[in-house]
Amino acid sequence: MKNPLVSILIPTYNQPEFFRQTLQSAIVQDYPNIEIIVSDDSTDDRVKNVFESYKKCGRNLKYIKHGGYTVESAGERSLLNMENLLKHARGEFINILFHDDLIYPIKISTMIKYFLSDNSDQVAVVSSARNVIDINGQFLKNEDYIDQFNLYNGKDSIFINGEEVGRMILLLCGNFIGELSTALIRREDFYRDYVKIFSPGYFLGVKEAK
């Protein structure tokens, strides 16, 4: 498929002004075939009102009032909200975009090329360096952990197998792949409809050791 559907999934909880910027960054993607789904756990209608103001933007937008804020644990609430988004997503590829993160306009179109060039369907995740900004959008620093290993060797991008990723994570003792907002993920590797498997500790149905 030339332009497979990509689902940009935005879990929200209050903070409408951050959400407005996040939603705009999803809407202005130059990739043509996206759906943008918002699952809202907010305690009021401010996020919903922001969403309504963009309904005529020409993009495929969907709003869901989730109501998971009734769960006491913030972690459990966030997990339930992301599971709700995944249940509604139709895309072959998933980008979960947190409501206080931004993505560059070429993010989806750039990352999808790596999936489409992989004839063996072995690529499961495409990620990148990310910039850290403050609440005013001012640049603070660039985080690119791959650069610490000098693996680029003059290239703009590299392919890394799972074993090498695991080794680098252990050496860094940190998040090598990046936050969920950073990564574009093949849906079937991230969430299985028939068993509803999704958790920060699961990938391909294998649970991480605790």
Side-chain angles (χ1 to χ4, degrees), residues 4 7 15 35 46 52 64 117 119 121 125 130 137 147 149 152-153 179 182:
S7 298
Q15 296 186 319
E35 63 174 7
R46 289 179 298 160
E52 292 290 331
I64 306 164
S117 65
N119 295 325
D121 290 337
V125 178
R130 61 266 197 209
D147 194 43
F149 291 89
Y152 286 118
N153 196 24
E179 298 75 15
T182 311

Side-chain angles (χ1 to χ4, degrees), residues 5-12 19 22-23 26-27 34-40 47 51 59-66 81-91 93-99 187:
L5 179 64
V6 174
S7 298
I8 299 178
L9 309 179
I10 308 177
T12 65
F19 167 68
T22 299
L23 181 59
I27 288 172
I34 63 173
E35 63 174 7
I36 301 169
I37 306 177
V38 176
S39 183
D40 185 14
V47 165
F51 177 88
R59 284 293 198 178
N60 181 6
L61 303 181
K62 183 175 184 179
Y63 173 89
I64 306 164
K65 183 65 174 179
H66 183 232
N81 205 7
M82 284 192 281
E83 286 181 336
N84 185 53
L85 283 163
L86 288 162
K87 290 174 185 176
H88 288 85
R90 298 180 299 109
F93 299 94
I94 299 292
N95 195 139
I96 290 180
L97 176 59
F98 292 123
H99 74 181
R187 187 181 194 276

Side-chain angles (χ1 to χ4, degrees), residues 106-123:
I106 62 171
K107 179 190 192 296
I108 301 299
S109 61
T110 300
M111 290 187 169
I112 202 71
K113 292 177 183 177
Y114 293 97
F115 286 106
L116 298 181
S117 65
D118 173 34
N119 295 325
S120 61
D121 290 337
Q122 293 297 302
V123 176

Side-chain angles (χ1 to χ4, degrees), residues 158-209:
I158 55 174
F159 287 86
I160 309 176
N161 64 34
E163 181 178 345
E164 182 71 3
V165 168
R167 183 184 73 85
M168 293 167 68
I169 287 174
L170 290 173
L171 289 174
L172 286 167
C173 295
N175 183 356
F176 161 70
I177 296 175
E179 298 75 15
L180 280 173
S181 294
T182 311
L184 185 63
I185 306 172
R186 193 184 298 275
R187 187 181 194 276
E188 65 179 21
D189 292 332
F190 192 55
Y191 181 77
R192 304 292 177 85
D193 288 301
Y194 58 92
V195 289
K196 301 296 186 291
I197 290 179
F198 166 71
S199 160
Y202 281 83
F203 189 72
L204 287 173
V206 178
K207 190 175 183 181
E208 67 178 353

